[in-house]
Amino acid sequence: MMQNVHLAPETDEDDLYSGYNDYNPTYDTEELENDTAFQQAVRTSHGRRPPITAKIPSTAVTRPVATGYGSKTSLASSMGRPMTGALQDGVARPMTAVRAAGFTKAALRGSAFDPLGQSRGPAPPLEAKNEDSPEEKIRQLEKKVNELVEESCVANGCGDLKLALEKAKDAGRKERVLVRQREQVTTPENINLDLTYSVLFNLASQYSANEMYAEALNTYQVIVKNKMFSNAGRLKVNMGNIYLKQRNYSKAIKFYRMALDQIPSVHKEMRIKIMQNIGVTFIKTGQYSDAINSFEHIMSMAPNLKAGFNLILSYFAVGDQEKMKKAFQKLIAVPLEIDEDDKYISPNDDPHTNLVIEAIKNDHLRQMERERKAMAEKYIMTAAKLIAPVIETSFAVGYDWCVEVVKASQYVELANDLEINKAITYLRQKDFNQAVETLKMFEKKDSRVKSAAATNLSFLYYLENEFAQASSYADLAVNSDRYNPSALTNKGNTVFANGDYEKAAEFYKEALRNDSSCTEALYNIGLTYKKLNRLDEALDCFLKLHAILRNSAQVLYQIAHVYELMEDPNQAIEWLMQLISVVPTDSRALSKLGELYDSEGDKSQAFQYYYESYRYFPSNIEVIEWLGAYYIDTQFCEKAIQYFERASLIQPTQVKWQLMVASCFRRSGNYQKALDTYKDIHRKFPENVECLRFLVRLCTDIGLKEVQEYATKLKRLEKMKEIREQRIKSGRDGSGGSRSKREGSAGSDASYVDPLGPQIERPKTAAKKRIDEDDFADEELGDDLLPE
């Protein structure tokens, strides 16, 4: 018995499955004739026993004795088959417990161990697609239609509306071809309705985006009227939006209501949006009562900021004071649904927590929260400024009511801003004392509010030329908030007004360090550098400002003027040309262009711009004088007359304009008209020697009898003039000399004619005002009225 027991060899200890791939002759059917045991079993009754039913063998059955694994032989069981794990002619039968590891009956037939089936070879090739089949053609065409729809949507998202429409049209054409092919191959029930719906809807959307509203409405009608499209009724909202853009408000309301009827009540958010559109349309048509009903329903069902603000506007339009108050309270109570700022403050020094907080401080969700909060504050501030003057007996009382309501809400920080707006409203009403008193109430508030109030106070005193008070409040604003660029700018203004340009530049530089987008400080530092004759630095400042404010007339003029000071007239002309493209009716800019072309010797261009300047502002004496002189130089004295006549109307006490009119008549050969003009001048200015000389000459040439009278008057005036000059000469002494010097100085000032007048530094875009660098500096240097 022990001869069939084999111990596992120690050398083969690591090979757990050795021997299982050996050939087992037990199952060799070809050698059964030579198998003695098999032939004996067949000839005896052992082979004719009935089959054993499946049951657990009893313990009395003799079982082979073998060690674990690696046995070469096994004992035959009493049932005539090898036992599990037993040896049969030197081959071990696999145990059923490890069948999942890849052991099959194939292993007993001598096949190699192949759990992955690699010996079977590669899989047979797939059947080739028949690309010519109708089904395949339909499938490819459907894929192409989907791709075109997707490309159309992508082009729309990128802003290329024309390409998006072309792709949508192409998708529509191919989709119709697809439908016809499907009808020929399959039954109508197999048509892809979802694809047809998406193609038509995209086409209508692209028509609407390209403002082809008629085509869009027709396409939407095709979708809506097709009963096979489920939920197509909601597209009537889009049709209502198109009618709203076309200002066809009655149809817009009709389609909005039809869409509202077809949308089930479970879609609450969609129904609220449609009702909001209905309310806005009613406001545009002036049906405020209907709009109020819509917005009140929205505020009762799902309150939001836009509906609350529109409700206030509707009540304001009908003048219902009490309802305005209630609507304002409802607007204040609308929940923002955003987290508090405390969650962005680290509770400890944990570096991991700090990194997480820094990551979420400016993520998209945080930005959305800021935008929503800013929108809410904008609506509340606008509503308060709108209703404050009308809900009470005076706007001050109305502002006080709004402030109290805001203080009791979640927007408590807006109360101070409302108070500052109250002061600004006083300013608009020219009530400076009340504005100052209101702003002075903030001197004991927190630093931010105190700085804003002090900044405005400094600005007010600066406008009133009370520079000491302006400087005092500017210091208070700077001390309250050293990083307030408006406060630093106002402090620089007061220093600028006192003539300390270097120190003013330092304040402007500090304001720019705190806020690089502070355009007032950048503009003012450019003016300061001009005062200091640092033209290159001034030009750099104005060029930087031009990059920020592309169409600012003031900046364009300053750049042109700096180039003029740098003796570069070509660049000055180029920038002035940009200026008149922004403000084509500014007479000062046009006259300045004429002056530059005149200095360059281009009289024709100079005349063109001087004439344009005169056309827009026909009261500029310098322009009138230049045009009159131009016509005299070109021998068109008749045309010069109208300009000098206008000058005499503007300055009726100046005799030279009337003399120029008479001179033009004389030069043109109209002696009678010239004589009448000189007589009229003599009546108005009887002591004018030049007028009498021309009268004597004309009367002599014409042969009039009045020549002796005018000659006598002329001699008397000349004699009186000589006597006066002798008295002045004889009575001249030290004091007289200084006095005559002062008189001569005054005379020179009075006779000096600046081509553009003493106020030519920059053009003002507002109603035709004279250009004054100093005046402009005053305005812009203190342009910090609104609170930061």
Side-chain angles (χ1 to χ4, degrees), residues 250-487:
S250 60
K251 279 197 172 182
I253 293 173
K254 174 184 175 182
F255 276 88
Y256 285 143
R257 285 177 168 169
M258 290 168 64
L260 195 63
D261 293 338
Q262 296 184 9
I263 292 178
S265 58
V266 293
H267 297 163
K268 181 179 177 182
E269 187 175 354
M270 176 65 73
R271 292 178 63 85
I272 290 296
K273 289 182 178 179
I274 295 174
M275 291 196 67
Q276 190 156 327
N277 285 7
I278 293 174
V280 171
T281 311
F282 277 131
I283 288 179
K284 290 182 177 292
T285 58
Q287 298 173 263
Y288 298 112
S289 58
D290 294 327
I292 288 171
N293 293 333
S294 298
F295 292 127
E296 281 185 343
H297 177 74
I298 295 172
M299 293 302 288
S300 62
M301 298 296 295
N304 62 77
L305 294 169
K306 290 184 179 179
F309 183 71
N310 288 334
L311 182 59
I312 292 175
L313 293 180
S314 302
Y315 282 132
F316 178 81
V318 299
D320 195 330
Q321 298 180 358
E322 293 300 322
K323 292 291 182 64
M324 273 188 275
K325 290 182 177 181
K326 292 180 180 179
F328 185 75
Q329 291 173 338
K330 289 180 180 179
L331 178 64
I332 292 286
V334 172
L336 276 181
E337 298 179 356
I338 62 175
D339 295 327
E340 299 294 333
D341 293 338
D342 296 341
K343 79 170 187 177
Y344 299 103
I345 301 175
S346 178
N348 49 40
D349 296 332
D350 183 14
H352 178 71
T353 305
N354 293 337
L355 285 175
V356 173
I357 291 175
E358 287 297 327
I360 66 174
K361 266 186 178 178
N362 291 307
D363 61 357
H364 292 294
L365 181 60
R366 177 61 173 160
Q367 293 174 9
M368 186 186 72
E369 289 178 346
R370 288 201 195 100
E371 291 174 0
R372 184 179 296 179
K373 186 175 181 181
M375 182 181 68
E377 292 177 354
K378 176 184 176 182
Y379 284 150
I380 292 170
M381 292 291 292
T382 306
K385 289 188 286 186
L386 179 69
I387 68 173
V390 298
I391 58 175
E392 298 290 348
T393 55
S394 67
F395 91 93
V397 180
Y399 259 108
D400 293 338
W401 182 88
C402 292
V403 168
E404 293 300 323
V405 173
V406 171
K407 283 182 178 179
S409 68
Q410 57 183 327
Y411 305 98
V412 62
E413 67 274 5
L414 291 181
N416 294 323
D417 294 337
L418 278 174
E419 290 281 2
I420 292 178
N421 273 290
K422 178 181 176 181
I424 294 173
T425 307
Y426 278 124
L427 286 179
R428 292 195 181 100
Q429 296 180 353
K430 308 298 183 183
D431 193 346
F432 295 100
N433 295 329
Q434 286 291 340
V436 170
E437 291 299 324
T438 304
L439 290 172
K440 284 183 177 179
M441 295 169 54
F442 293 95
E443 293 184 9
K444 296 182 181 180
K445 298 282 186 179
D446 58 70
S447 59
R448 184 188 69 85
V449 180
K450 184 193 299 184
S451 178
T455 300
N456 288 341
L457 283 169
S458 173
F459 167 71
L460 288 175
Y461 284 119
Y462 184 88
L463 290 181
E464 295 179 353
N465 294 328
E466 297 183 17
F467 299 123
Q469 287 278 47
S471 179
S472 174
Y473 279 103
D475 290 334
L476 177 61
V478 171
N479 294 333
S480 301
D481 185 1
R482 187 70 188 183
Y483 300 100
N484 186 349
S486 300

Side-chain angles (χ1 to χ4, degrees), residues 22 32 118 128 182 233 301 307 350 423 440 461 559 688 712 721:
D22 296 340
L32 288 179
Q118 297 178 357
R182 279 190 179 277
M301 298 296 295
D350 183 14
K440 284 183 177 179
Y461 284 119
I559 295 174
N688 187 275
T712 305
K721 184 178 180 182

